[in-house]
DNA sequence: TATTGTTATACTCTATAACTATA
DNA sequence: TATAGTTATAGAGTATAACAATA
């Protein structure tokens, strides 16, 4: 008998928290450009979805619109994000990464991935393949689009 | 040519961020007791290492001592953590969970695990086993060094 | 003198409520 | 009236620097 879903969930959460700790440490180490984790996530989202509106960004990242607005203020001030008013609907914003934003994102990502990859070097080829496979399995399970079915109404 | 360590690191980071998003959402949902993620981590640490000092907690959680001190202020005020001065070395604190703290931790943990487990129900037995195995592989890889030496100053 | 923790200060991050501009 | 975003306000979370107490 294998462990149940709850036991597996516990292991997944434990590992996710450990990974995020490595991430946090790296982001604060100043070996990497100075980005908070939420800012990193915002830049990553805009890299994936250029031209997204503020509301779209807020929803994907899990922030309220005011919080997102304030974060964008900071990113625009640092010239990492461009904020334009949509011509079609002047209430909407069009958010895109600047070249500086894209390059900062890539630098931060590279730093973190190097830190994580260094840990993974301890693994055998077999274990690495097993981890790859598990990540492929888990990715869709925890992807937001998959949250459909949760309270769409009310 | 199989995926390298960097590619695997990218997948691991992506999944960890997705899992943490589910965690954040759950912690803010008020289906679960009101704890921030850092507070959750602090309570979890003290549950694992009762009697830890403030510096030990700060180091494990990845905060500076002043930040940890302030967080502990809040947890003590909410009577989730007991803060005593060590008799042996009056500079040191001895931090422990109160019963309320332990029970809040368990409640928060249960809520989050339920949310994660619900997602995992989509997986086949085979996939679940693969994930379990991968988590067993990854756990030690990302565990901070000094897990073992639990010093009892008292 | 070195170590442990706190206080002072100043950001960022985040929320809710009230607002402006546009549709 | 409804929607997109901002401003106002408040509180938590975090850092660095300076401090007090203890060893």
């Amino acid at each position: 008998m294998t462990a149940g879903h709850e036991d597996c969930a516990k292991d997944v959460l434990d590992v996710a928290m450990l990974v995020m700790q490595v991430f946090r440490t790296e982001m604060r180490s100043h070996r990497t450009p100075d980005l908070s984790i939420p800012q990193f996530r915002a830049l990553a989202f805009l890299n994936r979805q250029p031209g997204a509106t503020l509301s779209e960004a807020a929803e994907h990242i899990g922030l309220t619109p005011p919080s997102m607005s304030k974060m964008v203020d900071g990113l625009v001030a640092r010239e990492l994000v461009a904020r334009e008013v949509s011509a079609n609907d002047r209430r909407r914003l069009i958010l895109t990464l600047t070249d500086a934003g894209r390059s900062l994102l890539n630098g931060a990502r590279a730093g973190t991935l190097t830190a994580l990859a260094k840990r993974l070097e301890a693994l055998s080829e077999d274990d690495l393949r097993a981890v790859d496979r598990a990540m492929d399995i888990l990715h869709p399970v925890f992807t937001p689009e998959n949250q459909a079915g949760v309270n769409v109404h009310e």
Side-chain angles (χ1 to χ4, degrees), chain A residues 8 14 30 38 63 97 110 133 144:
Chain A
C8 188
D14 284 347
H30 298 285
L63 292 181
L97 288 188
R133 186 184 158 211

Side-chain angles (χ1 to χ4, degrees), chain A residues 74-122:
Chain A
L75 296 173
V76 169
R78 289 169 68 187
E79 301 189 350
L80 303 174
V81 167
R83 172 174 45 186
E84 294 173 273
V85 173
S86 164
N88 287 358
D89 181 342
R90 293 170 47 71
R91 291 172 306 183
R92 284 186 151 85
L93 294 182
I94 295 176
L95 301 174
T96 47
L97 288 188
T98 62
D99 288 346
R102 194 159 15 247
S103 115
L104 190 64
L105 171 65
N106 289 333
R109 182 137 55 189
T112 298
L113 292 186
T114 297
L116 292 176
K118 196 170 172 186
R119 307 289 194 104
L120 293 176
E121 280 169 12

Side-chain angles (χ1 to χ4, degrees), chain A residues 28 43 51 54 58 64 67 108-109 113 129 145 147:
Chain A
R28 288 179 188 154
L43 296 187
L54 188 133
T64 58
S67 297
R109 182 137 55 189
L113 292 186
R129 265 193 298 274
E145 284 71 48
Q147 277 174 4

